[in-house]
Amino acid sequence: MRGKVRDFDVNKLGKILNKTYPWVFLALAGLFLHGLLKAPSCTEGLMPCAQLLNVVMGLIAVQGLYMIRPWLKVREKILSLAVELKILDRIPRFKRNMSLEEAAQGVIVTLSKLQEDARATTEAMLALQQSQTDLMESLPEPVMVLDPELHILRANNSARELFPDLLVSKNLITILRDPQLLETCQRSIASGQEDDIEVHLSVPVERTFQARVKPIQHRGFTLQERKSALLLSLNDITTIKRTEQMRADFVANVSHEMRTPLASVLGFVETLQGPASNDAAAQKNFLKIIETQAKSMSRLVEDLLSLSRIEMREHHQPEDAVEIEPVLNNIAVMLQMQIKQKNMTLQIKTDENLPQVQGDADELFQVISNLVTNAIRYGRPGTPVIVEAGQTTDIPPQFPLSQEKVVFVSVSDRGMGISAQHIPRLTERFYRVDKARSREVGGTGLGLAIVKHILNRHRGCLVVESQENVGSKFTIYLPIYN
Ligand SMILES: Nc1ncnc2c1ncn2[C@@H]1O[C@H](COP(=O)(O)OP(=O)(O)O)[C@@H](O)[C@H]1O
Ligand SMILES: [Mg+2]
């Protein structure tokens, strides 16, 4: 098309012609009148008029040619734009016999279709973004999207809860000042590889997280826009870590508890076989020690087995109706020798019409006998151990069931007592206030741990009150049998 029509200012020509036409018509009219009046015949008179008309027609044709030029330019522009936007197939074909109006209408229809398409695409984009947001929000673990400079682009609700100071567009360092995590993020961006690292948070409570970083393509605000980013997710592994630590501590503790009596047994066996092989008095003495140590190991094994048995059933609440009084009487019979040996007395006081409790008689026997044994062990010789049982409406807050009345059993001694800082830890396995003293009196350090687990199973609880050098009172609370 280009070059076919000479470059010319069409408007200028149009203007000149428009100004000329009235004069041409005046001239035509003059010539016409002149011809009519002067010419010998009417036909002859009209000749100059016809010639002028010819000229005028020619001028109009030239003007017409120049007038369609801008439309040709518009068409050319539309087609090249359509090629550029890859929508050529959507532009209506310009036909030779098409009127300008039809062509313009075609273009307008196409434009409005394209506008509709653009709106639909924007809506689809927004829906996609919304579903991405919903997906992120539904994740229980804190998740953030970071740009390569570690600015926060997006964060879900869990992340905002974990870091109340979190602000989108701020750098990760403003909420998590962990050099190793930052290093891991940078390494992951550089390598394009997923990576993870443990992160410790100390406020508001001590917690450990497994931070996982994954390079991703983050969608921007248009379909085409995709930027390199990093997905950071934090998985709370505090419980796993704690359990891992507890397991390791437990194995270390058991080994340690076993090693001491075992070493002593082996040592005395060696002495009996060697230097003391002919010493009857020493043999008797050493055999006694070996017996004591073997019994201590046996108690430890018994307690460990008992603990693991209870733990396995801990989520099943026992359902029997148990009378407390016979249990207390059996304990008194079982422990009378130990009471006598320490010159102590065991006083049992029970309420009349004590209701039955919901539980397992053997396990409740184990709980109360552990408490009475402790009272005998850690109470002063010659003092009484008092066991009281009754019902009360004064229920401690840690009691797990909502009941109006519960049964309590308390064991009080007059002994060394326990200082306040030890009380919360007494039910931990192998926790002892005085290790040497506990071992000396035959303790395993597992008695109160067993008590705690049995009470958990019974949906009951334990309350410890103690005053140093005065004495202690261990009270258990149990649900009444309905
Ligand atoms: N009646 C009590 N008086 C003083 N200290 C006690 C009493 N009962 C328990 N303790 C302390 O609690 C620790 C843990 O008790 P327990 O779990 O029964 O283990 P142990 O086998 O050592 O008795 C004991 O080592 C002791 O230090
Ligand atoms: Mg004990």
Side-chain angles (χ1 to χ4, degrees), residues 15-275:
K15 275 180 202 159
I16 296 167
L17 288 176
N18 284 344
K19 278 183 189 161
T20 321
Y21 286 144
W23 299 108
V24 171
F25 276 112
L26 269 179
L28 265 175
L31 279 171
F32 183 67
L33 281 175
H34 177 82
L36 274 185
L37 297 173
K38 294 280 171 79
S41 73
C42 184
T43 332
E44 257 177 71
L46 285 178
M47 269 313 279
C49 209
Q51 277 162 2
L52 188 65
L53 209 62
N54 254 345
V55 174
V56 170
M57 294 292 272
L59 278 173
I60 289 173
V62 171
Q63 193 194 11
L65 195 64
Y66 277 94
M67 275 178 75
I68 65 159
R69 196 169 173 262
W71 289 103
L72 290 176
K73 275 195 164 177
V74 168
R75 178 175 177 258
E76 186 189 5
K77 199 80 200 158
I78 288 173
L79 289 176
S80 65
L81 207 65
V83 169
E84 204 175 289
L85 295 175
K86 300 194 183 81
I87 53 160
L88 189 62
D89 53 329
R90 308 189 56 170
I91 295 289
R93 287 211 154 266
F94 289 103
K95 292 180 195 134
R96 200 171 279 280
N97 56 354
M98 205 181 223
S99 73
L100 277 177
E101 224 175 322
E102 277 173 332
Q105 215 159 23
V107 171
I108 288 167
V109 167
T110 303
L111 281 178
S112 65
K113 271 190 195 149
L114 283 175
Q115 197 182 15
E116 234 168 67
D117 284 1
R119 196 181 302 133
T121 312
T122 313
E123 271 168 22
M125 270 295 298
L126 289 174
L128 192 71
Q129 270 185 355
Q130 188 57 45
S131 74
Q132 277 182 352
T133 309
D134 292 348
L135 193 76
M136 253 180 94
E137 290 300 339
S138 68
L139 292 174
E141 64 256 43
V143 175
M144 282 177 250
V145 179
L146 311 169
D147 75 3
E149 281 77 46
L150 307 186
H151 294 110
I152 301 163
L153 298 175
R154 293 175 83 170
N156 69 354
N157 202 34
S158 307
R160 287 190 292 273
E161 270 174 18
L162 182 63
F163 304 107
D165 297 336
L166 185 151
L167 277 178
V168 167
S169 86
K170 287 271 187 231
N171 200 288
L172 179 66
I173 203 164
T174 57
I175 50 163
L176 235 175
R177 205 168 267 280
D178 186 320
Q180 279 180 323
L181 172 67
L182 301 179
E183 212 173 89
T184 306
C185 289
Q186 274 146 4
R187 205 173 41 233
S188 176
I189 288 168
S191 67
Q193 300 288 316
E194 213 178 310
D195 210 340
D196 56 62
I197 189 174
E198 262 176 35
V199 174
H200 302 279
L201 293 188
S202 46
V203 260
V205 281
E206 198 85 38
R207 266 189 292 179
T208 308
F209 290 88
Q210 181 84 24
R212 195 175 298 268
V213 288
K214 188 177 162 59
I216 55 161
Q217 287 294 307
H218 180 58
R219 209 178 271 279
F221 290 103
T222 65
L223 262 180
Q224 287 78 22
E225 199 184 341
R226 275 167 173 270
K227 291 177 185 164
S228 294
L230 204 61
L231 188 77
L232 167 66
S233 58
L234 297 162
N235 186 16
D236 194 339
I237 53 165
T238 317
T239 320
I240 299 171
K241 282 294 222 188
R242 207 174 284 153
T243 316
E244 236 172 59
Q245 189 58 46
M246 271 167 63
R247 193 190 53 80
D249 287 351
F250 183 67
V251 172
N253 276 325
V254 171
S255 319
H256 181 74
E257 293 295 329
M258 288 295 230
R259 200 188 291 135
T260 317
L262 208 57
S264 147
V265 167
L266 287 173
F268 284 111
V269 167
E270 231 170 73
T271 318
L272 284 175
Q273 286 168 337

Side-chain angles (χ1 to χ4, degrees), residues 303 370-371 373-374 377-378 438 443-448:
D303 279 359
N370 272 355
L371 297 180
T373 306
N374 279 351
R377 278 179 185 160
Y378 305 108
S438 160
T444 58
L446 293 173
L448 291 180

Side-chain angles (χ1 to χ4, degrees), residues 374-375 377-378 413 416-418 426 431-434 438 443-449 472 474:
N374 279 351
R377 278 179 185 160
Y378 305 108
D413 65 67
M416 63 209 314
I418 308 158
L426 290 182
Y431 189 85
R432 291 131 153 164
V433 178
D434 182 343
S438 160
T444 58
L446 293 173
L448 291 180
S472 314
F474 287 73

Side-chain angles (χ1 to χ4, degrees), residues 322 324 327 357 359-369 458 478:
V322 182
I324 290 293
V327 173
V357 298
D360 176 306
D362 290 342
E363 288 187 2
L364 290 178
F365 179 92
Q366 206 175 350
V367 166
I368 303 166
S369 68
H458 278 72
L478 295 162

